[in-house]
Amino acid sequence: SPFFFSSMILLSIPFAIRGNRKGGSFYFIVLGIFMGFFAYIFRDLISALGIGGKVPIFFSSFAPVAIVFATGVIFVLHSEKT
């Protein structure tokens, strides 16, 4: 799903542009890796719920992309303020 992967790239932008200006680089690298794994596992979990019939198919196909995209936009907007 190209939209999901582009949303994951958007999610990683604040961690990439942060640089070493403020210190704590290791913390943000680990946090970025954790966010990527969480997004991927979240997508698989929602997809499994959709396949199992627990949630509607429409929700299971678009919700992970929308949530990861919204989180990425929030992180980008927050990183521009700091």
Side-chain angles (χ1 to χ4, degrees):
S1 65
F3 294 117
F4 181 74
F5 292 126
S6 61
S7 297
M8 285 184 67
I9 290 171
L10 182 67
L11 186 66
S12 69
I13 287 173
F15 300 108
I17 64 172
R18 187 175 185 282
N20 292 332
R21 296 177 300 197
K22 299 177 184 176
S25 298
F26 179 75
Y27 171 72
F28 279 97
I29 289 171
V30 170
L31 185 61
I33 291 170
F34 175 74
M35 292 291 289
F37 281 128
F38 178 74
Y40 188 73
I41 290 170
F42 177 69
R43 183 190 69 159
D44 284 348
L45 176 69
I46 297 296
S47 296
L49 289 174
I51 291 170
K54 301 294 182 187
V55 296
I57 296 294
F58 183 79
F59 178 79
S60 69
S61 61
F62 290 112
V65 175
I67 291 171
V68 171
F69 182 79
T71 305
V73 167
I74 289 169
F75 282 163
V76 167
L77 293 176
H78 180 70
S79 70
E80 287 182 359
K81 289 181 182 178
T82 58

